[in-house]
Structures are given as structure tokens and as C-alpha cells.
Amino acid sequence: MNNIDWSKLGFSYIKTNTMVCSRYKEGRWSPVESCTDDRITLDSLSASLHYGVECFEGLKAFYGKDGKIRIFRPEENARRLIRSAAYLGIEAPSEEMFLGMVLRAVSENKDFIPPYGSRASLYIRPLLIGVGPQLGVKPSSETFFSVLVNPVGAYAGGIDDPARAVIAREYDRAAPHGSGSYKVGGNYAASLYAGMQAGKAGYQAVLYLDPKEHKYIDEFSSSNFFAVKGNTYITPYSETILPSITNKSLCQLAEYLGMKVERRAIPTEELASFDETGECGTAVVITPVSVIEDKPSIQAAPTVVYSYKNAGAPGTKSRKLYDKITGIQYGEEPDIFGWCTVY
Ligand code: PLP
Ligand code: COI
């Protein structure tokens, strides 16, 4: 047993029992192993270290009201990892292998799944990296795939702590026709500098615009953007954002709850007409955004400030969607769409 204080969990590293791994070399995957050491040994000329040949995933497991474990939509993450790997030109585990390793990692670390009632969860981090010694800039012929788990609470503030966001006009996280829609490490590296500047200026989130024209909302550095206007859920359509599994689920839930759903280009000026705005994603779940400041640069004075009435709490529609999605994840609500793998 561990002595974790589940009520104090944030989003930081905690050593668990095992990490589940396999290596791909010369046309086959090695037998899946459970390692008690999270550290890995790599060739120092691995392309993941030099050229960013790496992709990852993020999903969660929950202890439900009925004492069962639920993993949220893992097959969606498997498909997205396979898509990212194809972009990098490296071998990915099959969907079946991905699911088997995720289940094994969760089973071997059951004592790290936060108990029902804590509102925390077990974050699952699959990682696929190019390994093997190589000097040339090309995809790796060898890959290493691991699934590590980590108990987590809120990523930033959480549902009851709305964020202040800044539009990063002088930075892009992705290029037009670039890697923005793939879950590759380079996109996160590209967001760090803007994130540091924004943090120093007192913002919790950076909102990126479309990198071609800087006219439309794209997404945050580690979550998608959504807004509510009357009874409509609105979220960007863009080729440079990550296709969020949480956002896809919220669109389905919004429709189920009788809302209209629009996935389309959102010009920045439209921010003035929204009732609620927020971040959505596996780590942030739904984090409301109460203020968005549009500035020529993060240090400059704002040109426009958009404020939402949810200054100290989520708006009513965001709260309803949050309650519904977390209700399904914790087994408190019927899993109407069959999203959870339950065991
Ligand atoms: N956008 C980015 C850039 C992310 O890193 C994430 C997190 O995974 C998301 C969106 C949300 O995606 P998902 O809901 O699949 O976790
Ligand atoms: C997630 O929500 O799973 C993410 O990957 C976000 C971040 C921790 C990278």
C-alpha cells in the first residue's frame, strides 16, 4: 500500500509499481515486460533525442461508484497514437497491443488508482519513441513503447478555478500544414517559451490562433478551446489542432443534452459574443476560462479584454457538461455511448 494523500494530488510525478514496455526491432515486438524501474537505457544517438521522433498519449482510469475500474475511450487513444506514428514514419503498436498494455499497466498499479470520492484519477501515459543509433535525419527503424501511470488531481485550477488566458499573437505552436494535429513532443516544446512568458505575466493559459492568418481561434498548448453561446456548444474546426477525445465526447454529450453543436472556424472577434469559454482535455477535463486578453505581445497592454460572467465559478452549461462526463467516468451516470472499458 502507498500513503498518498489523495486530496492533495496535483499533476506531478509519483513513482508507481510498474511501467509496461516493449521494443520493436527487425520486424517484431519483443515480449511485453513490466519494469519496476521507470528509467530506460537508450542509444545516445536515438532519433527521439535528436530529431524529436516521439509521440505520446494521455488517458485516464477511474475507480467508480460501484467499485469497478473504468478506462475512458482507450481505443480512441490507440488510433491517435497510430496516426502520430505514421506521421513520424515509425512502427506503432497495433490497437490490440496498445489496449492490452494499457490494461496491464492499470491492473499492476491498482493501488495507485485514487479511491472513488476523491475526484482524482489515474493518468495513463503511453509513449512511443524512435530508438537505435543513427546519425541521419530519418525515421527510426527501432521503436520503444511504454505505458506508465501516475495518480493525478486537477491539472491546473480545475472546474472551480477559472483560468485567465492570453492570446499569443507573436507565437505559434504549429505551422500551417505542419504537425499541429499530431500528438508529437515538438508541439509541446514549441509552446514552452510562450507558456513561460504568459506565466510570468499572470496568465494560466495561452490561446493560439490559426498559424496561417492569425484570425481564428486554434487551441491552448495542452487542451482544446470550446465556447457556449445560448444553447450552442462551439468549438474550432482547424487542421492545426489536436483532435481532442474529450472535446469529441463533449460534442456528443452537448447534443445528447439538447444543445446545438458547431465545429467551425471561430474569428477572434466572436469571443465578445460568448457566454462561457473553457479549456477541455484529458488532463484539464473542463477548466473554465473567465478572461481572454488579446494583445500584440504577451508583455504589451491588451487591445481587447473578453470577460465572461463565470468569474469565480464555471458557467451553467460548462458545469452541466463537466458533471455529465465525469459522472460517466466515475460510473455515476449510465455510459450511454459505451465509452468506458470496465473491469
Ligand atoms: N490539445 C492539445 C494540444 C493537448 O495536448 C491535449 C491533451 O491531450 C488536448 C488538446 C486534449 O485532447 P484529449 O481530450 O484527447 O486529451
Ligand atoms: C493530456 O491532457 O493528456 C495531455 O497530454 C496534456 C498535457 C499533460 C501534455
Side-chain angles (χ1 to χ4, degrees):
M1 279 311 282
N2 55 66
N3 51 5
I4 296 170
D5 182 348
W6 304 109
S7 66
K8 294 214 165 66
L9 283 175
F11 202 86
S12 44
Y13 175 69
I14 291 175
K15 172 80 181 89
T16 53
N17 299 327
T18 56
M19 172 173 83
V20 177
C21 323
S22 177
R23 259 174 209 258
Y24 179 86
K25 191 175 177 179
E26 288 165 3
R28 58 174 207 93
W29 286 97
S30 66
V32 175
E33 275 180 72
S34 299
C35 311
T36 52
D37 193 345
D38 296 344
R39 292 166 301 178
I40 52 178
T41 304
L42 291 183
D43 284 291
S44 57
L45 278 177
S46 289
S48 48
L49 299 177
H50 297 254
Y51 309 128
V53 182
E54 81 91 42
C55 52
F56 65 99
E57 274 304 324
L59 63 161
K60 282 178 172 172
F62 307 82
Y63 257 132
K65 196 176 177 189
D66 52 6
K68 292 188 178 154
I69 298 167
R70 285 174 174 73
I71 307 179
F72 191 68
R73 309 194 78 171
E75 57 298 318
E76 291 281 339
N77 295 90
R79 288 180 209 135
R80 195 169 63 184
L81 185 84
I82 290 168
R83 183 173 170 270
S84 298
Y87 178 70
L88 296 171
I90 56 175
E91 187 72 21
S94 65
E95 198 174 317
E96 194 188 2
M97 179 175 169
F98 178 102
L99 297 175
M101 285 176 66
V102 163
L103 236 76
R104 178 162 159 178
V106 172
S107 302
E108 292 177 356
N109 292 285
K110 274 189 188 142
D111 45 333
F112 285 92
I113 308 177
Y116 175 70
S118 63
R119 297 327 257 182
S121 58
L122 187 75
Y123 185 76
I124 306 167
R125 171 52 65 85
L127 170 74
L128 182 69
I129 61 177
V131 296
Q134 76 176 60
L135 202 48
V137 180
K138 56 180 185 195
S140 306
S141 57
E142 296 176 31
T143 61
F144 172 82
F145 178 57
S146 61
V147 182
L148 185 136
V149 298
N150 197 103
V152 295
Y155 181 64
I159 183 70
D160 292 313
D161 191 5
R164 284 167 55 78
V166 61
I167 294 179
R169 284 203 175 263
E170 79 271 53
Y171 301 112
D172 292 319
R173 69 175 274 285
H177 311 295
S179 61
S181 74
Y182 302 95
K183 203 162 171 65
V184 296
N187 294 338
Y188 298 84
S191 73
L192 290 178
Y193 189 72
M196 286 188 285
Q197 302 300 312
K200 279 189 212 150
Y203 300 100
Q204 292 82 43
V206 177
L207 183 55
Y208 291 92
L209 301 183
D210 79 281
K212 190 169 176 207
E213 296 183 88
H214 298 104
K215 276 190 183 165
Y216 304 99
I217 310 274
D218 245 5
E219 66 170 335
F220 299 97
S221 51
S222 43
S223 54
N224 272 184
F225 172 90
F226 76 93
V228 174
K229 186 170 171 177
N231 196 37
T232 308
Y233 179 96
I234 307 165
T235 195
Y237 173 81
S238 163
E239 311 233 310
T240 44
I241 66 173
L242 190 77
S244 157
I245 296 158
T246 311
N247 199 3
K248 180 176 174 180
S249 310
L250 291 174
C251 289
Q252 286 174 264
L253 285 177
E255 261 174 6
Y256 176 80
L257 293 170
M259 294 176 76
K260 202 174 151 216
V261 171
E262 292 178 7
R263 189 184 280 275
R264 58 170 169 79
I266 304 177
T268 52
E269 306 78 56
E270 204 182 339
L271 287 170
S273 67
F274 295 145
D275 301 318
E276 304 173 27
T277 60
E279 296 185 60
C280 63
T282 298
V284 299
V285 194
I286 285 181
T287 298
V289 172
S290 56
V291 175
I292 302 175
E293 298 198 347
D294 193 348
K295 298 172 151 195
S297 77
I298 290 175
Q299 270 79 25
T303 326
V304 198
V305 177
Y306 303 98
S307 335
Y308 301 96
K309 51 191 173 210
N310 50 329
T316 47
K317 294 276 191 324
S318 300
R319 163 62 76 180
K320 205 167 179 180
L321 288 165
Y322 176 86
D323 287 346
K324 199 80 186 165
I325 196 165
T326 55
I328 291 172
Q329 291 168 333
Y330 289 113
E332 297 160 338
E333 294 261 352
D335 185 3
I336 35 178
F337 297 104
W339 283 335
C340 299
T341 296
V342 188
Y343 71 102

